[in-house]
Amino acid sequence: MKRYGNDFCCLGLDRGNIHGADSPVVVENTRIRSAMQNDDSNLKLTRLADYVVQHIMEYKKYGFEVIGIIGANRSPNCGVETTSDNDAEINGMGLFVENFPPAFARKHIYSHDRHKGNGQHTRKTSEVNMS
């Protein structure tokens, strides 16, 4: 599958700070999260999530089984169970991953509940794991 560079799409190659690598990770992640919360970036993240869902629908149309979307905990955008804010790793989804449940719901795609482990579908769209 594809790797979507949401930081790159919204903030550019240097993510808005050429010295970001010199900062502690959660501090830089908090800065990135703050930069991504403007209206323009939010619109781009929503569109990018819709684009990913469009890809999923196309794969499913041709018989592929999409079993998940990979995120990265602690990421300000791609965190699945944890993200960064206030210079700390906190529980919650990253800004990009938060866009998936509503994008799935708009297309009537509902994910499996990954905590059940029994493969039953649920209408709970807060989980992004689709296996």
Side-chain angles (χ1 to χ4, degrees):
M1 188 89 178
K2 301 183 179 287
R3 161 71 165 88
Y4 297 89
N6 47 54
D7 299 352
F8 176 79
C9 291
C10 297
L11 300 178
L13 186 59
D14 66 3
R15 296 178 174 177
N17 180 8
I18 61 171
H19 301 291
D22 298 331
S23 299
V25 172
V26 292
V27 172
E28 178 62 4
N29 281 355
T30 295
R31 187 198 62 77
I32 291 168
R33 183 180 186 87
S34 295
M36 296 291 290
Q37 289 178 315
N38 67 51
D39 290 340
D40 183 51
S41 292
N42 267 333
L43 180 60
K44 287 178 183 177
L45 290 176
T46 299
R47 287 181 178 161
L48 192 55
D50 286 339
Y51 185 63
V52 172
V53 170
Q54 179 184 351
H55 273 123
I56 291 169
M57 291 177 63
E58 190 69 9
Y59 278 108
K60 290 173 75 85
K61 178 174 135 183
Y62 286 96
F64 288 90
E65 180 184 10
V66 179
I67 60 171
I69 295 173
I70 298 173
N73 282 341
R74 191 173 64 185
S75 169
N77 287 301
C78 296
V80 176
E81 298 163 325
T82 65
T83 188
S84 295
D85 202 4
N86 300 315
D87 297 339
E89 184 173 357
I90 61 168
N91 289 331
M93 293 183 199
L95 298 171
F96 180 52
V97 172
E98 284 178 344
N99 280 280
F100 283 113
F104 290 144
R106 284 192 293 277
K107 296 295 184 180
H108 307 287
I109 298 173
Y110 298 98
S111 62
H112 299 267
D113 185 339
R114 66 190 168 111
H115 298 291
K116 285 185 180 180
N118 61 7
Q120 291 181 342
H121 291 284
T122 68
R123 297 195 56 95
K124 181 177 180 183
T125 59
S126 62
E127 302 294 344
V128 294
N129 186 336
M130 297 177 62
S131 62

